Amino acid sequence: MTNIITAIVFAVLILISGSCRKSFIEKPPATKKDVFEYMWKTLDERYTFFALKNIDWDSVHTVYSPKITNDMSDKAFFDTLSLMIDVLRDGHSGINSFFDEHKNVNFFFNSPENFNERLLTDTYFKGYGNRTGAFYHAAICDGKVGYIYYGSFSYGFTDADFEYILQLYSDADGLIIDVRNNFGGQVNNVYKIACHFTQTRVAVLGSRLKSGPGHHELTGITTTWLEPSGSYWNKPVCVLTNRKTYSAGSIFSIVMQELPNVTVVGDSTGGGLGLPIGSELPNGWQMHYAGSMILSPAGICHELGVPPDIETDMDPVAEENGIDSIIEKACDVILGR
Amino acid sequence: MIKRQLLLAFLVGAMCLPLYAYSHPQGDSLKTGFSHLRLTGALSLAAVGEQVNTCLPYTGLGGGASLAFTRCRRNYLNVENSFTAGGLMPYDMPEYNNVVTFYYNNFQAEYLWRLRKLNPLGIDFFTGPGVNFRYAIRMNYSNLSNSVLSYDMSVGLGISLRLAKEFSLHSICKKANPDKNWMVSLGMLYPVVGSAITPSYIGMPENLLQPDGSMLDMGNSTSGFLTRIINPEIHAELKYVMRNGNAFAVNYRFSYASLRADLNPVKSSYGITGLSLLFNLKKTPR
């Protein structure tokens, strides 16, 4: 009798465990129509900048839904979804399939390049310059200005690296930090640099996250504070930006503008002030998009580009003669010329 | 390679040695009571369905271990922490070979009373309160930007039930020891009241931009009774007790969670099959 009861209990246990597992292990419907609807709805409920960019997302559905058929090729389907996500005009948005990936880069289209790497090597570095950690640097303007080029906030460096550079140019009259063509990376690297240019705790950013499906549903503003750290640089600093300064590069521009002695020179950045998040689609493809909103401490969102303090484009004639007029403008600011 | 295998064999042998070295004059039983420190090595079969960064169910395998203290006298006390980790892949989607690594930890404690009156079949019944605390962390390394991390945590207080029966193989095989040195037990912990934490709406914490920001957001918590936080656990075990009171056991534990949070509800299950070494902690009678 007891053996029968034991066997029954075991069987019940196995059935319970099997049915619990089965209750949620089901593939979601994944026809092309389903995938389109899932993608459109996810962006509708999670993307941050519909209002700021004045995008009518419902009309996007009206336009693109008839173009999707379940028998269209994967390539045509991918291209159609890519066109749809491009409506967001956001470099943080894109889609990845098993055979291709698409990223929106129209934030720098139709804008002047405002950067020529050959001018750095040929005129200012006279080669590749010095390299410390992720930074290329050299003394320019007869040794009166320390120039640092930082190509990506994804490139790591140590506090000692940056301290070494500050020490190296301690006799200079000022410092240029060039983040042109810097598409971003780790936000923490922004703070690791910026903390040397303030002596007091400063509010440098605000941020809001999507908190619900409505286009205006956002959390309240969370303020980010920068604490001073390491040796303090108390002389003029110029930050150089162009339209390819994006994401963490734009954040760097906002943060540095809040600090004393700092002037941002060049073109507006490309924006990218919504930290990207991602979602897997029912067919296994992935998409990414902005799910938050980064603000200046004054509460302004520069998603479309952080304006510089001094706006200037590279002079093509000077460029022909080996002169980077944005660097020269920054030298003028530092040296008071 | 051979050296490594020899070293492994030596280590396993060394681990098993205390089973015999720590001798006890007579075997322990449900009647006389026992006290065990339990070490378990386990394989797990995991399944997760969540919403924060994917609509795809993931399943996969993992390995883990657990450490437990069990004392059975008039009452039954069990305190256990088990950990398992491994890789999950999208269910039934061979064209998408993405791997999500998972870490799962489950702590539970039970204090049960023996119900002697319910013992007409030679089965010992125990029941009483039980508490569990579990957390799971998953890292999805596909192209998901800042949505790499997902997690869920829950704590529950509920009713625990355990059935145990000792038996001998003598009735099946006459050569077998007539002592009742085998024990089969079944148990269940069903939280009645619980609380769970799942990721925020978009999965990122509000302090992510802070210089000392964290990836975890504890702000999205849900509490509820029975149907809101469903987090039962059932287990079954077959144990062989040696004359010195030490024991070996094979066990299976199934843990299911349906955390019906307002934001990013999660369903998951972990089926864990383990092999345990139980060290007798009961003092030798003088």
Side-chain angles (χ1 to χ4, degrees):
Chain A
M1 183 64 182
T2 52
N3 290 341
I4 292 168
I5 290 173
T6 307
I8 290 170
V9 173
F10 264 110
V12 169
L13 286 181
I14 290 165
L15 282 174
I16 289 171
S17 63
S19 59
C20 285
R21 194 180 139 87
K22 191 74 182 170
S23 71
F24 64 94
I25 302 302
E26 281 181 21
K27 280 176 74 172
T31 66
K32 291 186 172 67
K33 283 273 188 192
D34 294 325
V35 173
F36 168 80
E37 291 296 339
Y38 182 86
M39 180 172 168
W40 182 88
K41 185 169 184 285
T42 303
L43 289 170
D44 182 49
E45 294 179 348
R46 292 184 157 212
Y47 183 66
T48 317
F49 296 118
F50 288 121
L52 187 98
K53 296 181 178 178
N54 198 23
I55 297 168
D56 182 352
W57 195 238
D58 289 332
S59 72
V60 171
H61 188 278
T62 308
V63 170
Y64 283 90
S65 181
K67 297 180 180 179
I68 307 295
T69 57
N70 285 336
D71 57 354
M72 71 196 298
S73 72
D74 284 352
K75 175 79 172 83
F77 182 50
F78 178 81
D79 291 342
T80 309
L81 294 184
S82 299
L83 286 172
M84 183 174 85
I85 208 165
D86 276 357
V87 173
L88 301 176
R89 305 192 305 275
D90 190 327
H92 279 149
S93 63
I95 180 167
N96 294 64
S97 67
F98 304 136
F99 53 85
D100 200 355
E101 62 182 274
H102 173 77
K103 192 172 183 177
N104 188 329
V105 288
N106 66 9
F107 57 87
F108 60 79
F109 287 176
N110 305 315
S111 62
E113 183 68 11
N114 280 330
F115 183 70
N116 184 341
E117 191 179 348
R118 283 296 300 273
L119 298 186
L120 295 186
T121 55
D122 297 4
T123 306
Y124 297 94
F125 285 155
K126 305 274 195 287
Y128 283 108
N130 308 298
R131 184 177 178 186
T132 305
F135 304 105
Y136 290 90
H137 56 95
I140 62 173
C141 293
D142 300 325
K144 292 176 186 164
V145 175
Y147 171 85
I148 302 166
Y149 182 73
Y150 187 33
S152 171
F153 281 95
S154 297
Y155 301 156
F157 59 90
T158 63
D159 291 332
D161 291 335
F162 203 71
E163 291 277 1
Y164 169 80
I165 293 172
L166 293 181
Q167 179 62 34
L168 190 65
Y169 301 113
S170 58
D171 292 335
D173 293 336
L175 206 59
I176 293 173
I177 303 174
D178 190 346
V179 290
R180 289 176 295 174
N181 283 29
N182 183 323
F183 283 99
Q186 308 296 323
V187 180
N188 235 27
N189 289 334
V190 169
Y191 308 130
K192 281 173 74 177
I193 296 173
C195 65
H196 293 279
F197 302 104
T198 180
Q199 283 185 301
T200 56
R201 186 171 183 255
V202 188
V204 288
L205 294 170
S207 59
R208 304 179 74 184
L209 307 182
K210 275 290 280 173
S211 60
H215 287 188
H216 294 280
E217 282 189 76
L218 294 160
T219 61
I221 297 175
T222 302
T223 303
T224 297
W225 295 85
L226 181 71
E227 302 280 352
S229 178
S231 56
Y232 172 59
W233 179 272
N234 62 353
K235 298 175 191 173
V237 179
C238 279
V239 173
L240 311 188
T241 58
N242 66 356
R243 286 294 291 174
K244 285 186 177 173
T245 302
Y246 192 73
S247 191
S250 291
I251 293 173
F252 183 67
S253 181
I254 295 175
V255 169
M256 291 297 280
Q257 279 180 319
E258 297 302 317
L259 306 181
N261 303 323
V262 176
T263 308
V264 177
V265 179
D267 197 358
S268 290
T269 70
L273 290 170
L275 288 181
I277 55 173
S279 297
E280 285 176 333
L281 301 174
N283 62 350
W285 296 0
Q286 308 103 46
M287 65 168 170
H288 44 95
Y289 48 91
S292 62
M293 180 186 284
I294 299 165
L295 311 163
S296 70
I300 300 165
C301 182
H302 293 296
E303 163 64 10
L304 304 177
V306 183
D309 295 313
I310 298 174
E311 187 160 357
T312 181
D313 287 330
M314 220 144 91
D315 178 359
V317 177
E319 188 178 354
E320 282 291 313
N321 294 318
I323 303 295
D324 185 325
S325 53
I326 295 179
I327 292 179
E328 295 302 321
K329 182 67 186 175
C331 289
D332 291 346
V333 170
I334 289 169
L335 300 174
R337 295 191 300 208
Chain B
M1 190 67 184
I2 293 170
K3 275 185 182 175
R4 190 186 294 176
Q5 285 172 346
L6 284 172
L7 184 65
L8 190 66
F10 175 76
L11 285 172
V12 171
M15 282 175 69
C16 293
L17 203 57
L19 284 169
Y20 294 93
Y22 194 77
S23 69
H24 192 278
Q26 61 186 40
D28 292 339
S29 69
L30 285 167
K31 280 182 185 170
T32 59
F34 58 82
S35 188
H36 279 142
L37 180 71
R38 173 199 300 262
L39 293 174
T40 305
L43 291 173
S44 59
L45 184 64
V48 179
E50 60 182 331
Q51 296 181 3
V52 65
N53 56 8
T54 184
C55 56
L56 304 174
Y58 273 78
T59 58
L61 293 169
S66 76
L67 178 66
F69 170 73
T70 308
R71 194 193 67 192
C72 178
R73 289 179 187 166
R74 267 184 288 182
N75 300 325
Y76 182 92
L77 171 71
N78 183 50
V79 181
E80 179 165 8
N81 191 78
S82 60
F83 170 82
T84 183
L88 305 169
M89 293 186 76
Y91 173 71
D92 193 21
M93 193 177 266
E95 68 274 26
Y96 182 35
N97 55 358
N98 180 42
V99 175
V100 170
T101 55
F102 76 92
Y103 308 88
Y104 172 73
N105 192 84
N106 187 2
F107 171 83
Q108 73 175 59
E110 303 157 284
Y111 187 80
L112 315 180
W113 290 276
R114 193 192 297 252
L115 304 179
R116 289 187 186 277
K117 288 180 181 174
L118 297 176
N119 196 7
L121 301 170
I123 298 173
D124 283 76
F125 287 82
F126 300 86
T127 189
V131 60
N132 71 358
F133 169 67
R134 55 185 292 284
Y135 65 86
I137 296 173
R138 294 171 290 279
M139 305 289 283
N140 186 333
Y141 294 107
S142 61
N143 296 295
L144 295 179
S145 299
N146 291 302
S147 300
V148 168
L149 179 76
S150 67
Y151 52 88
D152 58 89
M153 303 175 196
S154 66
V155 59
L157 175 65
I159 297 166
S160 190
L161 181 70
R162 178 175 286 265
L163 296 77
K165 179 174 167 55
E166 291 173 323
F167 63 96
S168 164
L169 294 181
H170 188 67
S171 58
I172 303 167
C173 173
K174 296 297 175 195
K175 289 181 182 176
N177 189 339
D179 293 342
K180 290 185 174 180
N181 50 5
W182 290 86
M183 185 166 86
V184 61
S185 64
L186 304 167
M188 183 173 83
L189 170 60
Y190 199 103
V192 177
V193 58
S195 185
I197 291 174
T198 56
S200 65
Y201 183 69
I202 57 165
M204 281 200 294
E206 287 187 44
N207 68 357
L208 187 67
L209 268 184
Q210 308 290 330
D212 55 353
S214 145
M215 289 295 282
L216 298 176
D217 186 344
M218 301 298 177
N220 181 37
S221 66
T222 305
S223 298
F225 292 94
L226 281 173
T227 55
R228 193 91 193 268
I229 309 293
I230 303 169
N231 189 12
E233 184 171 287
I234 52 180
H235 54 268
E237 180 174 84
L238 180 65
K239 183 164 79 174
Y240 173 71
V241 184
M242 293 183 290
R243 287 184 61 80
N244 60 11
N246 298 325
F248 294 99
V250 182
N251 43 56
Y252 176 72
R253 180 183 294 274
F254 181 76
S255 175
Y256 172 74
S258 176
L259 311 178
R260 297 179 179 178
D262 294 330
L263 302 177
N264 297 310
V266 178
K267 287 185 177 182
S268 62
S269 73
Y270 298 88
I272 301 170
T273 306
L275 188 63
S276 303
L277 304 177
L278 293 90
F279 300 96
N280 180 20
L281 299 178
K282 196 176 168 190
K283 285 181 184 171
T284 306
R286 294 181 188 279

